[in-house]
Amino acid sequence: MDLNGKVALVTGASKGIGREITLSLIKEGAMVAINYRNDEEGANKTLKLVNEIGGNGFIVKGDVASYDNCVSMYNECIKKFGKLNILVNNAGISKVGLFMDMSMEDINSLIDTNLKGAINLTHAVLPHMVSRREGSIINISSMWGNVGASCEAIYSSTKGGVNLFTKALGKEMALSGIRVNAIAPGVINTSMNSFLSSEEKLALEEEIPMGKFGEGKDIGDLVVFLASNKSKYITSQVITVDGGYL
Ligand code: NAD
């Protein structure tokens, strides 16, 4: 999976899955722009881990929900590394609750971050990738984007949107040398699931055929494959990583 000389931008890399994706890419030789929005301390921790394994990373601040921020992030990447080969749209938020109880503020922030965020940054980087006729865009979706989850109607809708954005754009860009794929994780051990009580965690684990939550590295390993030449004939796909849950 040699990614030597490749440059990646990973959004929401200050913790959780984004941090693990960053480390997986670094271990394969990629240079990584570590995006964060508010959690500067978390981003510094990710960079420290990158440095500890001798990797080449740098921090780029920005809110994916803002198109202007996305253009700035892209420009910073180009200024630092001169090119961008891999984009991982990982930043996301979740809000659990009855749809009818959700505020419009919550609904808008889910859509603006999870769906518009991926669209914004992809739109900002695509002309550069087209001009180089090379690029791998990897969107982190969710298994709930495949089937929908009760009490996560808007979250599921945003991830379903990400899945179709992936499938459609992959077809549109195939002849331009740009591949677009998505990973739909199941339940992964991050702070996104910290609202679950230990009883709820146990009950959920029992529903998963593999009997446990996934780890961020499980997603990072697939990102590396989708970013590498080993997956050169794979585009427009949504790959589910859920321990057999769905
Ligand atoms: P997390 O909450 O640990 O990390 C999310 C990251 O995204 C954080 O660094 C956060 O600061 C960042 N972020 C949020 N809004 C942002 C914005 N507007 N701009 C830039 N960064 C922003 O969550 P996680 O579990 O690591 O989730 C990562 C991705 O994986 C998300 O897209 C999530 O929907 C998806 N996912 C997670 C699970 C799971 O079980 N953890 C399952 C399926 C999908």
Side-chain angles (χ1 to χ4, degrees), residues 87-109:
L87 170 64
V88 186
N89 287 309
N90 163 76
I93 53 172
S94 97
K95 296 234 158 64
V96 178
L98 290 176
F99 168 65
M100 62 186 178
D101 290 343
M102 286 197 125
S103 66
M104 284 320 291
E105 198 187 330
D106 282 347
I107 290 172
N108 287 333
S109 72

Side-chain angles (χ1 to χ4, degrees), residues 114-126:
N114 295 1
L115 178 56
K116 275 291 289 307
I119 292 171
N120 285 341
L121 196 52
T122 302
H123 191 271
V125 310
L126 210 47

Side-chain angles (χ1 to χ4, degrees), residues 12-120:
S14 60
K15 61 177 176 168
I17 294 172
R19 175 180 286 163
E20 290 303 322
I21 290 171
T22 300
L23 295 173
S24 298
L25 289 167
I26 288 282
K27 282 173 190 158
E28 295 298 327
M31 296 165 269
V32 182
I34 300 161
N35 160 253
Y36 80 100
R37 179 186 46 167
N38 295 324
D39 182 7
E40 190 176 1
E41 202 184 321
N44 283 329
K45 171 92 196 291
T46 304
L47 182 60
K48 187 167 174 276
L49 293 168
V50 164
N51 290 335
E52 275 170 15
I53 52 176
N56 187 354
F58 94 115
I59 292 176
V60 52
K61 182 175 164 62
D63 180 347
V64 297
S66 153
Y67 186 69
D68 288 350
N69 278 203
C70 287
V71 172
S72 305
M73 283 189 249
Y74 160 70
N75 284 332
E76 276 188 59
C77 254
I78 297 300
K79 206 168 148 199
K80 170 82 180 169
F81 292 126
K83 61 175 183 173
L84 183 63
N85 309 96
I86 303 155
L87 170 64
V88 186
N89 287 309
N90 163 76
I93 53 172
S94 97
K95 296 234 158 64
V96 178
L98 290 176
F99 168 65
M100 62 186 178
D101 290 343
M102 286 197 125
S103 66
M104 284 320 291
E105 198 187 330
D106 282 347
I107 290 172
N108 287 333
S109 72
L110 275 165
I111 295 170
D112 289 348
T113 305
N114 295 1
L115 178 56
K116 275 291 289 307
I119 292 171
N120 285 341

Side-chain angles (χ1 to χ4, degrees), residues 14 17 37 63-64 90-91 140-141 155 159 185-186 188 190-191 193:
S14 60
I17 294 172
R37 179 186 46 167
D63 180 347
V64 297
N90 163 76
I140 307 302
S141 163
Y155 179 80
K159 297 300 190 175
I188 306 296
T190 72
S191 62
N193 294 310

